[in-house]
Amino acid sequence: MNSMIIGKYVPGTSIVHRMDPRSKLIMVFFYVFIVFLANNVETYAVLMIFTFSLILLSRIPLSFIIRGLKPIFLVILFTFLLHLFMTKEGELLYRLGWFEIYEQGVKQGVFISLRFLSLIIVTTLLTLTTTPIEVTDGVESLLSPLKKFNMPIHELALMMSISLRFIPTLMEETDKIMKAQTARGVDFSGGSFQERIKAIVSLLVPLFINSFKRAEELATAMEARGYRGGEGRTKFRLLTWKTADTALIVSLILLAIILFILRS
Amino acid sequence: MREIAVSVENVSFKYPNEANYAVKNVSFYVQEGEWLAIVGHNGSGKSTIAKLLNGLLRPESGVIKIFSTELNETTIWEIRKRVGMVFQNPDNQFVGTTVQDDVAFGLENNGVPRDEMVERVDEAIRLVKMEEFLEQEPHHLSGGQKQRVAIAGIIALQPDIIILDEATSMLDPKGRNEVLETVRDLKKKQKITVISITHDLEEVVKADRVIVMNKGEVLTQGTPEEIFLLGEQLEKIGLDLPFTVKLSNELKGAGFPLTTDHLTAEGLVEELWTLYSKM
Ligand SMILES: Nc1ncnc2c1ncn2[C@@H]1O[C@H](COP(=O)(O)OP(=O)(O)OP(=O)(O)O)[C@@H](O)[C@H]1O
Ligand SMILES: [Mg+2]
């Protein structure tokens, strides 16, 4: 499970790493729609070229991505087979008893699989090349117009960043509590269903109580350092829109246009 | 004549729904540039006083002044910039995802322009000697390092007063020294007033003045020497004496003609060996 790379960040200095999170977020958002423009061999070829260019630019080894997406390949294989067997259009290519494969089935299977693969790779590239806190900043910045409608965007972003900051802390704490409870004779690895529930409760209760205490202390510390909501606040982390970001968006528009022209 | 950095006059405070006052009619002052230690048993109201000093809690009665500015609704944000607080738990006051983000947090809150913010963050981090760890995430830092980052976050706001509320009590001896060295160093370089709430007697020994709290009231105040002379009285309200003070008391009890109580090991050793060479 550890080789799974969806949601992970791989440090690097490639051009994709250095891009503004906002351009990457915009790209992924629209890419989800744009892939549906592809419907023939040419358009899917263009889609694949685009996807692999992005991988090349990110300097993340292809083998690393393939290894990390292994569990996804199962899903893709399943969709491929489903389309292969269920589509009964076009020329009959192969028959074995009731088992038939049609030309359209192969085509549909390959297309859908490629579409899925491309989507997964592009979204994964976003998280592989962008730290979670950059994603948070990007989301906050992109959604900031909604502040006018009294949407608590700053608060949501702060919640996200504090959660990110506390995930490792809480993991350590979970580990500590588990060890402490194991020392008291709680068995986390086996036992009947009821015993397991009991073990989990013995873990969750102290974890929750401590978290509330943490939250209270953190709120006090934040207040002591002058926190009073998003109003009048400046930001330390800076998002800078560079030429590469404009280039990314332009290439996305070009992609859409090309797909639109080539599609049948 | 030094200015009065903090003055507390007849301040009382009660937590909502509590029967007893957590702080009862407390008065004291702190001079500019002074290092004041506050000691007292658990629940004697030390943290409550600290929180009253920068407006995290509002007194029920009495007046608190920071450099002759009275603490009230309108001055509270200004005063929070001037009175920095370091709390006990290193993890629960680390807000940012990295060292520099955390140091910047207070500046962001106060709307400091970004260019100035970058400079002040760098300078503060240099002052606490954490420049190697700029981009580091908190879970890769030791407790002492996290507390130094907390101090940097406060220094960046250019405060006049730093309050350490048992800031070293969760640290190992190495971390404790790191943090105390950092504060001493700062005090030398800048005119900072330090109020340190502590159970650590070494910290008390090095303070300029000590306030002893008991059940929400100021029991007594004085220099560390004066305070430790109280001996039994301190032990009665649940406070410990430094090892050297206990030892010199015992030695005197056993008939050795020591001249004073000794707060430091060096002082005691010095007198013991001169005494020995006289015998
Ligand atoms: N949030 C709160 N709500 C109600 N009562 C409180 C609260 N915090 C503290 N108290 C009570 O107020 C009194 C003083 O507490 P305070 O935390 O100031 O003591 P302290 O001297 O800092 O103790 P310690 O050495 O344990 O930190 C105690 O009796 C405590 O139970
Ligand atoms: Mg306390």
Side-chain angles (χ1 to χ4, degrees), chain B:
Chain B
M1 181 61 200
R2 286 197 290 183
E3 262 188 273
I4 300 292
V6 178
S7 101
V8 175
E9 287 162 38
N10 306 320
V11 167
S12 298
F13 175 83
K14 194 167 74 174
Y15 284 97
N17 309 325
E18 294 283 315
N20 297 321
Y21 278 86
V23 166
K24 255 180 298 193
N25 202 22
V26 164
S27 302
F28 66 91
Y29 68 93
V30 191
Q31 282 188 329
E32 188 182 10
E34 201 177 15
W35 185 306
L36 176 83
I38 302 181
V39 298
H41 59 87
N42 290 103
S44 57
K46 305 179 302 284
S47 298
T48 308
I49 287 186
K51 285 181 185 157
L52 286 163
L53 289 183
N54 74 348
L56 288 172
L57 299 172
R58 306 298 317 277
E60 198 177 280
S61 60
V63 179
I64 295 170
K65 284 185 189 153
I66 306 293
F67 283 98
S68 65
T69 309
E70 193 180 322
L71 179 61
N72 57 34
E73 289 296 332
T74 49
T75 58
I76 191 164
W77 299 108
E78 201 41 48
I79 280 177
R80 277 191 192 159
K81 265 192 275 181
R82 303 178 70 179
V83 183
M85 273 183 81
V86 184
F87 298 90
Q88 181 173 26
N89 190 319
D91 260 318
N92 300 353
Q93 54 187 315
F94 205 113
V95 190
T97 39
T98 67
V99 168
Q100 50 179 353
D101 284 317
D102 189 63
V103 174
F105 182 73
L107 297 168
E108 293 182 315
N109 293 337
N110 283 292
V112 175
R114 185 169 187 278
D115 293 336
E116 190 187 336
M117 183 147 54
V118 172
E119 266 170 42
R120 278 162 75 170
V121 166
D122 277 350
E123 196 196 325
I125 292 179
R126 233 175 321 110
L127 277 171
V128 301
K129 303 198 176 68
M130 286 292 290
E131 55 270 59
E132 286 166 58
F133 304 94
L134 276 185
E135 310 262 346
Q136 201 65 263
E137 290 169 16
H139 62 279
H140 294 304
L141 301 176
S142 72
Q145 288 172 331
K146 276 180 237 180
Q147 291 301 64
R148 272 152 65 199
V149 174
I151 293 171
I154 286 162
I155 291 302
L157 289 167
Q158 301 167 341
D160 303 309
I161 301 158
I162 292 189
I163 303 176
L164 307 168
D165 188 356
E166 301 191 32
T168 60
S169 66
M170 286 178 73
L171 306 179
D172 55 12
K174 184 170 162 282
R176 190 173 309 160
N177 279 337
E178 256 173 49
V179 171
L180 289 178
E181 268 319 307
T182 307
V183 180
R184 274 188 212 116
D185 202 38
L186 280 173
K187 204 163 158 289
K188 240 179 269 163
K189 286 183 191 145
Q190 311 181 347
K191 261 200 314 191
I192 283 181
T193 308
V194 179
I195 300 178
S196 126
I197 295 168
T198 182
H199 285 294
D200 179 17
L201 294 163
E202 294 303 311
E203 233 177 290
V204 178
V205 168
K206 288 187 174 137
D208 298 320
R209 213 151 47 87
V210 184
I211 288 181
V212 183
M213 296 286 299
N214 184 36
K215 295 184 188 146
E217 291 174 288
V218 175
L219 181 73
T220 177
Q221 41 182 310
T223 62
E225 287 83 1
E226 287 166 358
I227 296 300
F228 289 126
L229 270 180
L230 297 175
E232 257 178 37
Q233 219 181 322
L234 294 183
E235 287 180 330
K236 223 183 280 165
I237 62 161
L239 290 175
D240 205 9
L241 289 173
F243 174 68
T244 51
V245 174
K246 278 194 217 158
L247 184 61
S248 72
N249 278 343
E250 296 275 319
L251 285 170
K252 269 189 277 187
F256 288 92
L258 294 179
T259 49
T260 55
D261 274 327
H262 291 280
L263 296 188
T264 61
E266 292 84 32
L268 183 62
V269 169
E270 180 82 14
E271 175 142 21
L272 281 178
W273 78 258
T274 43
L275 194 68
Y276 182 73
S277 54
K278 273 186 251 163
M279 286 205 295

Side-chain angles (χ1 to χ4, degrees), chain A residues 190-234:
Chain A
S192 67
F193 181 72
Q194 264 172 338
E195 279 167 340
R196 273 184 186 231
I197 295 287
K198 254 191 184 161
I200 303 246
V201 168
S202 79
L203 171 66
L204 285 184
V205 169
L207 195 62
F208 264 93
I209 292 175
N210 279 346
S211 301
F212 279 113
K213 191 166 161 255
R214 274 185 201 286
E216 199 184 322
E217 287 186 26
L218 189 72
T220 309
M222 284 169 64
E223 213 186 324
R225 285 161 76 180
Y227 182 72
R228 57 192 119 153
E231 197 106 345
R233 227 171 160 261
T234 44

Side-chain angles (χ1 to χ4, degrees), chain A residues 46-65:
Chain A
V46 172
L47 216 52
M48 283 296 117
I49 292 170
F50 185 82
T51 308
F52 282 95
S53 316
L54 278 183
I55 297 181
L56 278 181
L57 284 175
S58 76
R59 300 257 181 85
I60 291 176
L62 188 61
S63 58
F64 178 81
I65 296 179

